[in-house]
Protein backbone atom coordinates (compact mmCIF):
# COMPACT_ATOMS: atom_id res chain seq x y z
CA UNK A 1 0.00 0.00 0.00
CA UNK A 2 1.45 3.30 -1.02
CA UNK A 3 1.03 6.50 0.89
CA UNK A 4 -0.70 9.26 -0.93
CA UNK A 5 -0.81 12.87 0.19
CA UNK A 6 -4.14 13.99 1.65
CA UNK A 7 -4.43 16.90 -0.71
CA UNK A 8 -2.96 16.13 -4.08
CA UNK A 9 -3.16 19.77 -5.22
CA UNK A 10 -1.01 21.05 -2.38
CA UNK A 11 2.66 20.34 -2.69
CA UNK A 12 5.29 21.36 -0.22
CA UNK A 13 7.09 24.45 -1.47
CA UNK A 14 10.75 24.97 -1.19
CA UNK A 15 11.94 27.12 1.65
CA UNK A 16 12.98 29.91 -0.72
CA UNK A 17 9.51 30.36 -2.13
CA UNK A 18 7.68 30.14 1.20
CA UNK A 19 6.52 33.65 2.19
CA UNK A 20 4.29 32.87 5.13
CA UNK A 21 5.17 35.16 8.06
CA UNK A 22 6.99 37.69 5.90
CA UNK A 23 4.41 40.36 6.66
CA UNK A 24 4.88 39.90 10.40
CA UNK A 25 8.66 40.20 10.09
CA UNK A 26 8.36 43.33 7.92
CA UNK A 27 5.91 44.83 10.43
CA UNK A 28 8.27 44.23 13.36
CA UNK A 29 11.24 45.63 11.44
CA UNK A 30 9.27 48.74 10.44
CA UNK A 31 7.38 49.43 13.68
CA UNK A 32 10.33 49.42 16.11
CA UNK A 33 12.11 52.50 14.69
CA UNK A 34 8.77 54.28 14.45
CA UNK A 35 7.91 53.51 18.08
CA UNK A 36 11.34 54.55 19.32
CA UNK A 37 11.10 57.83 17.38
CA UNK A 38 7.57 58.52 18.66
CA UNK A 39 8.41 57.81 22.30
CA UNK A 40 11.68 59.78 22.13
CA UNK A 41 9.80 62.80 20.76
CA UNK A 42 7.15 62.39 23.46
CA UNK A 43 9.86 62.35 26.16
CA UNK A 44 11.57 65.36 24.60
CA UNK A 45 8.26 67.23 24.63
CA UNK A 46 7.85 66.50 28.34
CA UNK A 47 11.38 67.74 29.05
CA UNK A 48 10.67 70.99 27.19
CA UNK A 49 7.46 71.48 29.21
CA UNK A 50 9.40 70.82 32.43
CA UNK A 51 11.98 73.47 31.42
CA UNK A 52 9.18 75.97 30.81
CA UNK A 53 7.54 75.16 34.15
CA UNK A 54 10.80 75.60 36.07
CA UNK A 55 11.55 78.84 34.22
CA UNK A 56 8.06 80.13 35.04
CA UNK A 57 8.45 79.19 38.71
CA UNK A 58 11.89 80.86 38.83
CA UNK A 59 10.46 84.09 37.41
CA UNK A 60 7.65 84.03 39.98
CA UNK A 61 10.21 83.42 42.75
CA UNK A 62 12.40 86.29 41.50
CA UNK A 63 9.40 88.62 41.42
CA UNK A 64 8.51 87.63 44.97
CA UNK A 65 12.13 88.11 46.08
CA UNK A 66 12.29 91.56 44.49
CA UNK A 67 9.37 92.67 46.65
CA UNK A 68 9.72 90.60 49.84
CA UNK A 69 13.41 90.31 50.65
CA UNK A 70 14.67 92.80 53.22
CA UNK A 71 18.03 91.42 54.26
CA UNK A 72 19.68 94.85 54.01
CA UNK A 73 16.81 96.82 55.61
CA UNK A 74 15.80 98.71 52.49
CA UNK A 75 12.15 97.69 52.16
CA UNK A 76 10.06 99.71 54.63
CA UNK A 77 6.99 97.46 54.67
CA UNK A 78 8.90 94.24 55.52
CA UNK A 79 10.46 93.18 58.85
CA UNK A 80 14.10 94.35 59.06
CA UNK A 81 16.88 91.87 58.30
CA UNK A 82 14.48 89.22 56.98
CA UNK A 83 15.13 87.45 53.70
CA UNK A 84 11.62 85.91 53.69
CA UNK A 85 13.01 82.75 52.07
CA UNK A 86 9.99 80.72 53.15
CA UNK A 87 7.63 83.02 51.23
CA UNK A 88 9.88 82.93 48.18
CA UNK A 89 9.99 79.11 48.30
CA UNK A 90 6.19 79.06 48.51
CA UNK A 91 6.03 81.33 45.47
CA UNK A 92 8.28 78.96 43.50
CA UNK A 93 6.21 75.95 44.60
CA UNK A 94 3.01 77.75 43.56
CA UNK A 95 4.56 78.55 40.18
CA UNK A 96 5.25 74.87 39.61
CA UNK A 97 1.65 73.98 40.40
CA UNK A 98 0.83 70.29 40.04
CA UNK A 99 4.12 69.57 38.27
CA UNK A 100 5.88 69.69 41.64
CA UNK A 101 3.77 66.84 43.01
CA UNK A 102 5.54 64.18 40.94
CA UNK A 103 8.97 65.71 40.35
CA UNK A 104 11.14 67.36 42.94
CA UNK A 105 12.80 70.70 43.39
CA UNK A 106 16.28 70.08 44.71
CA UNK A 107 17.17 73.64 45.73
CA UNK A 108 15.95 77.22 45.68
CA UNK A 109 18.64 79.86 46.30
CA UNK A 110 18.19 83.56 46.86
CA UNK A 111 21.03 85.99 46.14
CA UNK A 112 20.67 89.68 46.98
CA UNK A 113 24.30 90.49 46.19
CA UNK A 114 24.10 90.43 42.38
CA UNK A 115 26.27 87.31 42.34
CA UNK A 116 29.20 89.21 43.82
CA UNK A 117 30.17 89.35 47.46
CA UNK A 118 31.21 93.00 47.47
CA UNK A 119 29.37 95.53 49.62
CA UNK A 120 28.72 97.77 46.59
CA UNK A 121 26.83 95.01 44.78
CA UNK A 122 24.09 94.46 47.35
CA UNK A 123 20.92 96.49 47.60
CA UNK A 124 21.17 99.13 50.31
CA UNK A 125 19.18 102.16 51.38
CA UNK A 126 21.33 104.35 49.13
CA UNK A 127 20.84 102.05 46.12
CA UNK A 128 17.85 99.76 46.76
CA UNK A 129 17.45 98.72 43.12
CA UNK A 130 20.23 96.17 42.76
CA UNK A 131 19.17 92.86 41.22
CA UNK A 132 17.83 90.02 43.35
CA UNK A 133 18.52 86.61 41.82
CA UNK A 134 16.65 83.38 42.41
CA UNK A 135 18.14 80.06 41.26
CA UNK A 136 16.06 76.88 41.05
CA UNK A 137 17.42 73.38 40.46
CA UNK A 138 14.81 70.71 39.75
CA UNK A 139 14.99 67.03 38.91
CA UNK A 140 12.73 65.69 36.15
CA UNK A 141 12.11 61.95 36.07
CA UNK A 142 11.87 60.49 32.58
CA UNK A 143 8.90 58.11 32.53
CA UNK A 144 8.16 57.37 28.88
CA UNK A 145 9.10 53.82 27.90
CA UNK A 146 11.63 53.75 25.06
CA UNK A 147 11.89 57.54 25.48
CA UNK A 148 14.38 57.30 28.31
CA UNK A 149 17.05 56.91 25.68
CA UNK A 150 17.41 60.69 25.48
CA UNK A 151 17.55 61.08 29.29
CA UNK A 152 20.40 58.67 29.81
CA UNK A 153 20.19 57.91 33.53
CA UNK A 154 16.41 58.28 33.80
CA UNK A 155 16.51 61.77 35.34
CA UNK A 156 17.11 65.17 33.82
CA UNK A 157 18.43 68.08 35.92
CA UNK A 158 16.93 71.49 35.12
CA UNK A 159 18.69 74.67 36.27
CA UNK A 160 17.14 78.12 35.96
CA UNK A 161 18.26 81.52 37.21
CA UNK A 162 16.38 84.79 36.99
CA UNK A 163 16.91 88.33 38.34
CA UNK A 164 14.66 91.28 39.02
CA UNK A 165 15.61 94.68 40.41
CA UNK A 166 14.99 94.91 44.14
CA UNK A 167 11.90 96.97 44.91
CA UNK A 168 13.36 98.79 47.89
CA UNK A 169 12.74 102.40 48.85
CA UNK A 170 14.89 105.47 49.45
CA UNK A 171 12.57 107.14 51.94
CA UNK A 172 12.66 106.98 55.70
CA UNK A 173 9.65 105.63 57.54
CA UNK A 174 8.24 107.17 60.67
CA UNK A 175 7.29 104.93 63.62
CA UNK A 176 4.41 107.26 64.54
CA UNK A 177 2.78 106.71 61.16
CA UNK A 178 2.91 102.93 61.39
CA UNK A 179 5.88 102.55 59.07
CA UNK A 180 7.83 99.36 58.65
CA UNK A 181 11.46 98.58 59.32
CA UNK A 182 13.66 100.48 56.86
CA UNK A 183 15.72 103.34 58.17
CA UNK A 184 17.33 105.05 55.21
CA UNK A 185 19.41 107.92 56.52
Amino acid sequence: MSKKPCNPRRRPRSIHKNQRGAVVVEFVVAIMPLLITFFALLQLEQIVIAHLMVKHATIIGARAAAVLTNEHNNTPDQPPGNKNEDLIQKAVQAGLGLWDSYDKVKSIKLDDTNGNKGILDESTCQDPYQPVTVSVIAEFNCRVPLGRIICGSGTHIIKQKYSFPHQGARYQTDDNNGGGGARCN
Side-chain angles (χ1 to χ4, degrees):
M1 197 187 256
S2 69
K3 292 184 177 181
K4 293 184 179 179
C6 295
N7 189 352
R9 285 183 254 150
R10 187 171 178 201
R11 289 188 219 157
R13 295 183 182 180
S14 72
I15 231 168
H16 299 291
K17 294 181 182 179
N18 189 356
Q19 294 189 0
R20 289 184 300 171
V23 173
V24 172
V25 172
E26 288 175 2
F27 176 76
V28 168
V29 168
I31 197 71
M32 286 310 289
L34 289 174
L35 284 176
I36 290 172
T37 303
F38 173 75
F39 286 127
L41 288 175
L42 184 65
Q43 185 67 64
L44 184 64
E45 175 257 343
Q46 288 182 355
I47 290 173
V48 169
I49 288 174
H51 274 275
L52 287 174
M53 292 293 294
V54 173
K55 182 177 182 178
H56 173 70
T58 305
I59 291 171
I60 288 175
R63 289 180 71 189
V67 175
L68 296 174
T69 186
N70 194 23
E71 182 181 9
H72 307 293
N73 299 333
N74 57 346
T75 306
D77 61 345
Q78 295 296 322
N82 192 355
K83 288 177 89 170
N84 288 329
E85 288 180 320
D86 56 333
L87 294 174
I88 294 164
Q89 287 182 355
K90 286 179 182 177
V92 170
Q93 299 293 338
L96 289 173
L98 295 177
W99 184 79
D100 184 48
S101 64
Y102 56 89
D103 288 303
K104 57 183 173 181
V105 176
K106 294 180 87 171
S107 72
I108 300 171
K109 293 183 182 174
L110 172 66
D111 186 14
D112 194 10
T113 60
N114 194 16
N116 302 318
K117 298 300 178 197
I119 190 78
L120 297 176
D121 293 321
E122 62 188 26
S123 54
T124 62
C125 287
Q126 289 74 31
D127 188 13
Y129 308 116
Q130 289 291 325
V132 177
T133 303
V134 172
S135 302
V136 176
I137 299 174
E139 185 177 272
F140 175 73
N141 295 320
C142 299
R143 293 183 185 87
V144 177
L146 296 177
R148 294 183 189 167
I149 295 168
I150 60 173
C151 283
S153 66
T155 59
H156 184 73
I157 303 297
I158 303 169
K159 298 177 182 178
Q160 289 290 330
K161 181 189 263 188
Y162 211 81
S163 297
F164 271 102
H166 192 274
Q167 299 298 308
R170 292 184 183 207
Y171 58 85
Q172 182 176 354
T173 60
D174 187 10
D175 287 338
N176 297 333
N177 294 331
R183 298 286 183 260
C184 295
N185 297 326

